[in-house]
Amino acid sequence: MIPREPLHTESNAEKQVFDQLRAAFSGPGQTGWFAMHSLNLPRHEYKRFGEIDFIVCGPDGLFVLEVKGGGVSCRDGVWETRNKHGATRLKESPFKQAEGALHGLRKKLPPQFEHAFVLGYGVVMPGVENLPESAEWDRTVLADAKDFKQFEKWLSRLIKHWHAKDARKPRATSDQLKHLQQLLRPDFEAVVPLHVTAGAVESRIARLTEEQLRLIDAVEANDRVICSGGAGTGKTMLGLELAKRWTAAGMNVAMTCHSPWLKSFLDRNPLAGLTVCLSDSIHLAARRYGIEKFDAVVVDEGQDILNMESLSKVDAYLKGGLDKGRWCFFHDINNQSGLCGAYVPDAYEYLSIFAPTKIPLRTNCRNSLPILNRIQDALQADMGNPGVGDGPSVRESFASDQQKAIQFVENELKTLTEEDGFMYGDIVILSHLPFEESLASFLSPRWHKSISILDGASPLSSDRQSIGFAQIPDFKGLESEVIVLIDLPAPGSRADLRSLHYVGMSRARAMLSMITVANR
């Protein structure tokens, strides 16, 4: 019996049949037979999904049993079963159900099994007596209450009945039966691949993103807003959604950022009325499109343009200026000075003079919990409250020299792609060094040719078939399912590299791997 005890069922009739089958094949001379309870059938003859109550299989063939408990009736061709819960109308007769399940099972079997086995079906109704004869079914395939009391004899008659219909088929061998058993209900211990775990993280991120969009209602209701949050709190996504709403209202909107790569990403799906430009080039964008002044401005990566020169350009090309115009300023509350742009505290104070509504973003909707915890522990960065949930552990390898570090990188890429199940396009290698100076350039030919150096048009391409490589400053504002961070010492070990670690580590949505090397 597979399993050894009945699977969860409320049917007393199925439990009774289970016991009868176990007794029938427990005697001498019954080796090679097995019975399975409750086999799911994704390929039914005409149902989207079906279930076989029992399969009985041995040297003499394979037989499907449909079990009906309680009372059974048929009026004007409509079948019903009755139990203590009441009557249930059947879409077809129990005999049609058994026949349909058998046909569905035949489609699942490889051709060699269909030709090697006698196939048949039966219907077992332990609570029914004196079911009348009918042209719609063969009495031999039915076990009613009387037959059920002598179940082994009925089962023997059922097998002979189907053998008589196809006497040319030989008896199944023990090897064929073992193979069939594994095919129908294999024994296995499945380990969840890491890419599947990461996929669960991705779906949670999508749901959190939808929740974050509700904040836009508050932002949209105010003319001037400063929206602050750490990496991964959804600033770019919220800024883009706000720009969509303002353009839908008929406004000419400028969305500015500091990173050329982020600009390329934002500009990928153009919207009527939306101009995406670099923050220091808003004047050039206005002239290019013949716009004297924009109706509204969305500033992303605001921490990188917090200087008076950049703010004065936004002020000059916004209707009403920063004082009375409509704008939303998204910025990272963590200090990233020295990486991109120029951060001047006085400029933030100047922006605050215009009495903007200040909205904090407190939920991190990018990074899984292990990544979030590692960044916060190492860098003491304010990353927001964890919103994504658990995910794969952060992997860290420490090498004493460059050669060992190269081997660690190769081993990690092999593990990610061959064992964890990630596609090449899921992975981005980040370094603060150009490719020619990074560990990636010293990899063996197998991995070297599998890496493509990314540019502004390629980092988030859905059809990328290679492992990506980018410098950390270029990838700022972007993200990837898997990040392999190389060429840096351990996070938190050097204050002057804190910004690089912060940006590089926070780009990973689901999986972060860091290979560090001393004196690199």
Side-chain angles (χ1 to χ4, degrees):
M1 298 303 300
I2 303 173
R4 294 180 182 273
E5 300 294 333
L7 287 173
H8 176 71
T9 176
E10 296 181 359
S11 171
N12 288 327
E14 289 185 25
K15 295 176 182 177
Q16 290 173 328
V17 173
F18 188 98
D19 290 339
Q20 289 280 30
L21 287 171
R22 179 160 49 193
F25 295 113
S26 61
Q30 300 295 344
T31 56
W33 286 88
F34 63 87
M36 294 181 174
H37 177 221
S38 189
L39 185 79
N40 290 325
L41 189 64
R43 294 186 182 180
H44 196 276
E45 183 186 20
Y46 46 85
K47 295 179 182 178
R48 185 177 180 84
F49 187 83
E51 182 184 43
I52 298 176
D53 292 336
F54 287 93
I55 287 179
V56 179
C57 192
D60 291 321
L62 183 152
F63 308 95
V64 168
L65 301 184
E66 177 74 21
V67 179
K68 293 298 178 188
V72 177
S73 65
C74 179
R75 293 182 178 86
D76 299 325
V78 178
W79 286 77
E80 284 186 347
T81 59
R82 298 183 305 278
N83 56 31
K84 61 182 180 180
H85 301 296
T88 300
R89 182 171 177 172
L90 304 180
K91 294 183 178 180
E92 60 193 348
S93 78
F95 303 95
K96 282 291 185 182
Q97 286 181 315
E99 185 179 12
L102 177 62
H103 283 299
L105 181 62
R106 291 178 71 167
K107 292 180 180 179
K108 189 176 179 66
L109 296 176
Q112 64 267 29
F113 284 106
E114 184 175 352
H115 298 312
F117 284 81
V118 171
L119 303 175
Y121 64 87
V123 176
V124 184
M125 301 181 183
V128 174
E129 293 184 353
N130 302 321
L131 198 71
E133 299 286 341
S134 172
E136 293 190 65
W137 64 82
D138 194 315
R139 182 63 181 81
T140 310
V141 303
L142 171 66
D144 61 11
K146 182 178 179 181
D147 298 312
F148 195 69
K149 294 176 181 178
Q150 296 181 312
F151 190 76
E152 290 183 48
K153 290 184 178 181
W154 172 80
L155 197 57
S156 178
R157 292 198 304 270
L158 179 74
I159 294 171
K160 290 178 180 178
H161 168 79
W162 290 107
H163 259 277
K165 291 181 175 290
D166 203 350
R168 294 172 297 175
K169 288 186 178 178
R171 286 169 60 88
T173 66
S174 59
D175 287 341
Q176 287 174 324
L177 290 170
K178 289 178 181 178
H179 191 182
L180 179 63
Q181 180 179 324
Q182 274 297 107
L183 177 69
L184 294 176
R185 184 167 275 167
D187 291 327
F188 65 92
E189 181 177 351
V191 178
V192 179
L194 196 58
H195 77 279
V196 173
T197 306
V201 171
E202 291 282 290
S203 65
R204 293 199 297 272
I205 289 172
R207 290 196 298 271
L208 277 165
T209 299
E210 293 174 2
E211 294 173 10
Q212 294 275 90
L213 289 177
R214 299 173 189 169
L215 290 172
I216 289 297
D217 295 333
V219 175
E220 193 179 17
N222 296 276
D223 287 340
R224 288 169 295 284
V225 178
I226 294 179
C227 215
S228 59
T233 53
K235 297 183 296 296
T236 298
M237 178 275 301
L238 293 170
L240 188 57
E241 177 63 20
L242 179 61
K244 290 179 180 178
R245 294 191 183 188
W246 279 349
T247 56
M251 302 182 198
N252 279 322
V253 180
M255 185 167 184
T256 77
C257 60
H258 185 83
S259 165
W261 285 26
L262 181 57
K263 173 188 175 297
S264 178
F265 166 67
L266 294 173
D267 212 15
R268 186 168 297 174
N269 298 303
L271 293 172
L274 176 62
T275 300
V276 178
C277 60
L278 298 179
S279 299
D280 288 340
S281 303
I282 189 172
H283 58 299
L284 299 177
R287 293 172 189 170
R288 184 181 305 117
Y289 295 105
I291 299 172
E292 184 179 352
K293 292 192 175 185
F294 292 99
D295 298 313
V297 172
V298 177
V299 178
D300 195 14
E301 298 184 313
Q303 70 281 350
D304 293 322
I305 67 160
L306 274 176
N307 59 81
M308 297 307 298
E309 181 181 357
S310 296
L311 291 180
S312 65
K313 289 181 180 179
V314 174
D315 180 71
Y317 287 89
L318 171 64
K319 286 184 180 179
L322 292 174
D323 183 12
K324 297 181 180 179
R326 176 171 288 183
W327 51 266
C328 185
F329 199 97
F330 290 91
H331 81 110
D332 193 326
I333 56 177
N334 296 289
N335 180 17
Q336 297 183 46
S337 61
L339 179 62
C340 296
Y343 177 84
V344 179
D346 288 347
Y348 182 80
E349 297 301 323
Y350 169 73
L351 203 60
S352 299
I353 292 174
F354 306 120
T357 300
K358 295 184 179 181
I359 297 179
L361 300 174
R362 295 191 175 96
T363 301
N364 184 292
C365 60
R366 175 194 295 155
N367 310 117
S368 64
L369 188 58
I371 297 172
L372 194 64
N373 287 339
R374 187 67 183 95
I375 297 172
Q376 291 177 329
D377 290 345
L379 308 175
Q380 291 74 53
D382 186 350
M383 299 288 289
N385 300 320
V388 175
D390 205 4
S393 299
V394 175
R395 293 207 287 244
E396 299 183 62
S397 301
F398 303 92
S400 57
D401 56 54
Q402 177 174 301
Q403 195 57 44
K404 288 183 179 178
I406 294 170
Q407 188 61 53
F408 283 159
V409 175
E410 293 198 355
N411 291 341
E412 181 63 9
L413 294 178
K414 182 178 180 180
T415 298
L416 287 168
T417 56
E418 296 182 9
E419 297 181 19
D420 297 338
F422 290 105
M423 305 295 290
Y424 281 12
D426 295 330
I427 304 169
V428 171
I429 300 172
L430 290 183
S431 170
H432 65 297
L433 301 173
F435 180 79
E436 295 76 13
E437 301 175 23
S438 75
L439 293 173
S441 67
F442 297 99
L443 299 179
S444 62
R446 173 197 171 182
W447 293 110
H448 198 282
K449 68 181 181 181
S450 300
I451 296 173
S452 61
I453 301 175
L454 303 180
D455 56 30
S458 61
L460 294 181
S461 175
S462 60
D463 58 354
R464 179 163 55 84
Q465 301 297 315
S466 58
I467 298 169
F469 175 90
Q471 288 187 254
I472 295 171
D474 290 333
F475 212 69
K476 192 162 178 277
L478 302 174
E479 58 189 44
S480 178
E481 187 170 0
V482 180
I483 290 293
V484 179
L485 192 60
I486 63 173
D487 295 320
L488 286 169
S493 60
R494 286 178 53 180
D496 60 323
L497 299 177
R498 177 178 177 274
S499 295
L500 288 167
H501 277 115
Y502 174 70
V503 175
M505 295 168 71
S506 63
R507 299 309 98 192
R509 290 196 299 265
M511 179 70 205
L512 172 63
S513 177
M514 295 185 288
I515 290 93
T516 61
V517 58
N519 302 319
R520 179 68 177 169

